[in-house]
Amino acid sequence: MLAWLLVAGVNAVVEKAIAIPTETETTENSELRIQNSGFNSDITSSSLDPMAQVTSVSQLKDVQPSDWAFAALQSLVERYGCIAGYPDSNYRGNRALTRYEFAAGVNACLDRINELIATAAKDLVSREDVTILQKLQEEFATELGTLRGRIDSLEAKNAEIAANQFSTTTKLSGLLIVGLQGRTKNRGDVNFRDGQKDTDDGGTNINVISLAQLYLTSQITPRSYLFTGLLAGRGTTTPRFTNSVSRNDVLLGYEFPTDNLIVSDLNFHWLVTDKLAMMIGTEGVSIPAAFRGPNRVESAATGPLSYFAQRNPILNTGYGHGGIAIDWQFAKRASLQAIYTSYQPGNPGQRSGLFDGNTTTGVQLLLTPTDTIDFSLYYVNNYSSDGCLLTFVGDECLTAVNSTTGRSAPLQTNAVGATVTWQISKSISAGAWGGYTKSYIPGQPGNVETTNYMVFLNFPDLFAKGNLGGIYVGQPPKITSSNLPVGNNVPDFINTGLGRAGGQPGTTTQVEAFYRFQLNDNLSITPGIIHILQPGHTPNSDSVTIGILRSTFTF
């Protein structure tokens, strides 16, 4: 009788005897994980804690009195107490069973019966049951021995990890990027309306760019943590023109030169409810950190090479440091992110500080109507005390520097954009984004408008699992029209120094292709090429070609 009961009920015994539910099983049973938000946390909801030993079969939600195995489960639960459920209080009786799992279940029930005998509960256990269990234990002796060996090995590994772990509450991670890149020579046409190339030959140069980052994720409570980042970078893409023709013709995603080690992130993350997360801090509170990216390969370390190809430049506006952000999963396939951030939150001087200087407010609606389509719509409002949006791509400084004061006029900017990606198959995805900004000098007539776009193809697991190919073609932000007061309009200021109304005379087009070789879980190498037509949105400037070899180590 007991053997039949075990066949019917041992599936749940295994969960108590040998393992916590796997990550996949845990994720299936959670309503929300913060790691699915733009805040990238590994903290889970408290509802995922393993369920304690059940004391009644009625505690198993998917077992009904009409089920053929109900009596068997009832006996194992209430008579012998050797059944445990999954974290969601389900039994999952149709799940497949291995011999190792059956052996573990038999052993668990035998241990439980021995406990009952030792505690003078002999009347609950018949001699026949004990004999059957002993025979089953002998039958599965090989499997039990193998299982004990595995458990001993796991315990030894856990002990080693515990002895050498960085901290019981803090996780250390990081990355190192080293890139080798070279540019072709080219000449630019500054005074573009005369059709003459008037800059010196930029020459050809090969140089090295490096970026190192360390991250500390410190658990504060089961639903909150403190995130700290340290960064050091060296090198830039060179040569560059000293004028405005190609000031932002290309910026690599990992190009961030610093004089020394800096604090890049210092922010607190809190899972307020199972569907609402919050981030607040003095460093690293920016739109890219707070908004979920529809392009699933977005990464300066392992994704596209250029800064422009990472995301819509509108989402880089303000280059925020300190502020507050929220992420609200208000429906199964819909979420809303919002942020308020400042470029210099710790400097309360004139034209700077938490509520002055360069401040940015943004909202994003992210929808996943199907498993293969991601769509986001976003709005960004920015006040810049010097007329620069700090996107570092294309036309991002939109008011000219006054020769008398040495300063440029401030701008209030409204920007909108959208991004869509489509997972066509397991081996190819397509996407596109577009953006539009409209800015004005507070209290002055006129405005300046810019547009940008990108279309791209990604090829995950191209030629080998873990590898990635990509092709990106787009137009960086371009001033399409500018009728600010005379002296403030950038295109004519570059051309004549008068700053009269007018837009850019040409259109820059960037073409980027790359292929990432994933050598192992921690190391990848990415060769690529970037070709830029009409840099600086000037039609008579020579094209620029950059060859790149990026290597990335993560841990």
Side-chain angles (χ1 to χ4, degrees), residues 19-41:
I20 297 173
T22 65
E23 181 177 352
T24 300
E25 293 164 342
T26 303
T27 303
E28 289 173 353
N29 294 314
S30 68
E31 287 296 324
L32 174 75
R33 289 176 63 91
I34 311 181
Q35 68 179 22
N36 291 329
S37 76
F39 301 156
N40 299 320
S41 165

Side-chain angles (χ1 to χ4, degrees), residues 33-95:
R33 289 176 63 91
I34 311 181
Q35 68 179 22
N36 291 329
S37 76
F39 301 156
N40 299 320
S41 165
D42 291 329
I43 301 175
T44 59
S45 167
S46 60
S47 64
L48 301 182
D49 292 340
M51 178 180 153
Q53 171 68 48
V54 297
T55 57
S56 173
V57 72
S58 62
Q59 292 178 253
L60 299 171
K61 295 189 297 186
D62 60 345
V63 177
Q64 305 298 324
S66 58
D67 293 337
W68 69 272
F70 181 83
L73 291 172
Q74 187 176 39
S75 180
L76 285 170
V77 171
E78 298 172 8
R79 182 178 180 187
Y80 296 106
C82 56
I83 285 289
Y86 280 86
D88 59 356
S89 300
N90 285 316
Y91 175 63
R92 302 183 192 175
N94 293 324
R95 180 177 175 272

Side-chain angles (χ1 to χ4, degrees), residues 372-417:
T372 59
I373 294 178
D374 294 293
F375 174 76
S376 67
L377 182 66
Y378 32 89
Y379 164 77
V380 174
N381 180 278
N382 171 263
Y383 175 77
S384 172
S385 60
D386 62 359
C388 291
L389 303 183
L390 299 179
T391 62
F392 305 106
V393 175
D395 290 334
E396 52 105 18
C397 287
L398 306 181
T399 55
V401 177
N402 187 293
S403 57
T404 303
T405 64
R407 306 175 79 174
S408 52
L411 278 182
Q412 188 74 49
T413 299
N414 292 286
V416 294

Side-chain angles (χ1 to χ4, degrees), residues 32 120 135 208 286 337 412 432 481 549:
L32 174 75
K135 289 181 178 179
V208 176
S286 63
Q337 293 86 46
Q412 188 74 49
S481 68
L549 182 64

Side-chain angles (χ1 to χ4, degrees), residues 35 65 97 110 144 152 168 343 388 401-402 429 485 519 523 530 539:
Q35 68 179 22
L97 184 69
L110 185 60
L144 284 170
D152 291 342
T168 57
Y343 180 63
C388 291
V401 177
N402 187 293
S429 67
L519 303 181
L523 182 64
I530 299 173

Side-chain angles (χ1 to χ4, degrees), residues 2-26:
L2 185 57
W4 179 80
L5 292 175
L6 280 169
V7 171
V10 75
N11 178 47
V13 178
V14 175
E15 297 305 318
K16 179 174 184 290
I18 62 173
I20 297 173
T22 65
E23 181 177 352
T24 300
E25 293 164 342
T26 303

